[in-house]
Amino acid sequence: MMKEQSAKQLRIGMLGFGSMGRTHTWAIQNIPFFYGELSFSAKVAGVCTTTLEKSRAVADSFAIPVATVCEDDLINDPTIDIIDICTPNIYHFDTLKKAIASGKHVLCEKPLCVSTEQAKEILALCKNQGQVLGMVFNYRHLAPVMRAKQLIDEGRIGRVLSFRAAYLHNSATDVQKNAGWKQDRDICGGGVLFDLGSHVIDLIGWLCGNLTAVSGMSQIAYPTRRGRNGELWQTNADESFYLLGKTEGGAKGTIAVGKLQVGTNDDLSFEIYGEHGALRFSLMEPNWLYFYDGKAPDGAMGGERGFTRIECVGRYPNLIFPSPKAPAGWLYSHLSGMYQYLSAVANGTPFEPSIQTGAYVQAVMDAAYRSAEADSVMTEVSTCW
């Protein structure tokens, strides 16, 4: 009898441990509960934060062997296979250059960096075919979004003609609340377009085709608010952003992202309209995808026409726990994405979204900002990927 091949052991260096570092660590540690036979075993082998006190506290809480304040300790450690970048945006560029040069596999939180020029420099370093260099655009990995992609690829809605997408928060509506680092352009590199817009730009590119030209308009509703230290501060990053765009296939549509929308929570949604059908999704209803089949027979009282609510719930590829009928949640997108990324590393297969996808999103955001500065002139997206 042939001896079964043992699972590949993957050791991960976690850079940063805010909400995303915590989320990634949760996903890595919980994959064995949700999936069956794995081609890998993975563990967070080291954590790096801004203070040794915090790093040690995180290491103790999550059974991580190494705690450090120097990311080079993990990047240069020959026992580390993957560098997981969960630091603020302005630090991604330098870290990516070092991690890619070290030969490590890399998983990077969005956005890739803070400019198209930086993105081009990073792409020039991506020459090692054996490296799996991935981006965390986690909403691709929600079951209803994957089902939407499947229906589009099968031609069920025909050629995409138009789209409307939005990602709305209420986190900037309280001017008495201190601004967070994602509202500070000096740390985030941009504003809400970088934070929430990067997700939507990726989704529209994946589902409808890459954007080739955009017109942007930014909004700062509260020019003066409390800064991160609690003192009055001049807002330096967009609090909402509105974008018109057209894709390589000729589809046209709108994207709105913002943190000024009272009454919202984590309201990501999209509508996609094709020649023969349409799709709708809302993150506030994460178990369902709405599909309109324009080829369904009509009748005097509507026939079989109308949006069908598809029960995606917990039906994720290869998921064995919990029941596929169990309602899904936000964490599923990170769990599913991490599983797919680690499987790609273990099996030596390509992974999407890749660093190249991150560069595309960066170029779209750059064009949108340039358009906003030029009074919303339609601006071509540069090809840097």
Side-chain angles (χ1 to χ4, degrees):
M1 181 182 294
M2 289 184 63
K3 187 177 180 181
E4 290 187 8
Q5 187 175 3
S6 60
K8 185 170 184 178
Q9 295 184 337
L10 300 175
R11 292 168 55 84
I12 300 161
M14 187 67 62
L15 307 185
F17 207 85
S19 61
M20 286 301 98
R22 181 180 291 266
T23 300
H24 290 202
T25 299
W26 177 89
I28 293 161
Q29 294 185 344
N30 281 278
I31 281 173
F33 287 100
F34 289 84
Y35 293 90
E37 206 170 313
L38 297 171
S39 59
F40 62 87
S41 64
K43 67 176 294 183
V44 179
V47 62
C48 175
T49 73
T50 52
T51 69
L52 191 56
E53 181 182 23
K54 179 178 179 180
S55 294
R56 284 173 174 167
V58 169
D60 290 343
S61 297
F62 298 94
I64 300 172
V66 176
T68 183
V69 292
C70 179
E71 65 182 20
D72 292 349
D73 291 344
L74 302 180
I75 292 173
N76 297 325
D77 185 341
T79 70
I80 297 290
D81 302 293
I82 299 167
I83 294 297
D84 191 336
I85 303 173
C86 296
T87 52
N89 306 344
I90 60 169
Y91 303 117
H92 290 187
F93 178 59
D94 288 336
T95 302
L96 279 163
K97 289 194 295 182
K98 290 187 290 185
I100 292 171
S102 75
K104 298 281 194 291
H105 303 289
V106 180
L107 184 63
C108 183
E109 263 294 340
K110 58 79 193 170
L112 178 65
C113 47
V114 299
S115 71
T116 303
E117 290 70 26
Q118 288 186 353
K120 288 179 179 178
E121 191 171 336
I122 290 168
L123 286 183
L125 299 174
C126 301
K127 298 175 181 178
N128 182 350
Q129 298 298 316
Q131 281 178 294
V132 180
L133 307 174
M135 293 292 303
V136 183
F137 289 120
N138 54 291
Y139 295 115
R140 284 192 183 202
H141 306 293
L142 285 167
V145 179
M146 290 190 282
R147 181 68 175 126
K149 174 67 170 172
Q150 188 179 59
L151 288 168
I152 291 170
D153 288 349
E154 289 173 354
R156 297 292 298 279
I157 70 169
R159 180 168 61 98
V160 175
L161 302 179
S162 67
F163 58 86
R164 181 170 66 175
Y167 198 174
L168 308 175
H169 279 191
N170 65 359
S171 52
T173 57
D174 183 358
V175 294
Q176 299 306 315
K177 180 181 176 183
N178 292 6
W181 70 263
K182 290 184 178 181
Q183 293 171 261
D184 187 342
R185 194 181 189 98
D186 294 336
I187 299 176
C188 188
V192 71
L193 182 63
F194 269 27
D195 186 24
L196 304 183
S198 55
H199 279 299
V200 188
I201 291 167
D202 173 66
L203 281 182
I204 291 302
W206 191 50
L207 295 171
C208 303
N210 283 353
L211 293 165
T212 57
V214 294
S215 171
M217 181 170 61
S218 66
Q219 179 183 18
I220 294 177
Y222 301 104
T224 302
R225 61 164 65 240
R226 296 191 182 279
R228 289 183 296 125
N229 61 1
E231 298 179 359
L232 289 181
W233 170 71
Q234 297 301 305
T235 305
N236 64 1
D238 43 293
E239 298 170 321
S240 282
F241 201 96
Y242 312 93
L243 186 150
L244 291 170
K246 62 179 180 180
T247 71
E248 56 197 358
K252 296 182 179 181
T254 65
I255 293 173
V257 294
K259 296 184 177 182
L260 297 169
Q261 285 67 31
V262 174
T264 60
N265 290 285
D266 197 30
D267 290 25
L268 169 66
S269 62
F270 62 74
E271 300 171 7
I272 299 172
Y273 300 96
E275 291 177 303
H276 308 306
L279 296 162
R280 291 177 180 170
F281 171 72
S282 169
L283 186 58
M284 292 293 98
E285 294 185 85
N287 299 300
W288 310 100
L289 174 69
Y290 290 83
F291 169 51
Y292 185 93
D293 185 355
K295 294 183 177 180
D298 199 355
M301 290 181 287
E304 297 177 19
R305 291 284 178 91
F307 275 92
T308 298
R309 191 169 73 159
I310 299 174
E311 52 177 37
C312 299
V313 286
R315 292 176 171 85
Y316 286 78
N318 304 318
L319 205 70
I320 65 165
F321 170 84
S323 163
K325 295 182 179 181
W330 176 81
L331 280 169
Y332 273 58
S333 66
H334 283 281
L335 180 78
S336 176
M338 187 64 74
Y339 165 75
Q340 291 183 42
Y341 174 76
L342 294 176
S343 295
V345 172
N347 300 326
T349 54
F351 173 79
E352 279 291 343
S354 63
I355 290 286
Q356 285 74 19
T357 300
Y360 151 72
V361 172
Q362 203 73 47
V364 173
M365 295 189 298
D366 181 77
Y369 276 132
R370 285 188 282 119
S371 170
E373 291 169 359
D375 294 326
S376 303
V377 171
M378 185 63 75
T379 304
E380 289 190 7
V381 177
S382 65
T383 53
C384 67
W385 55 93

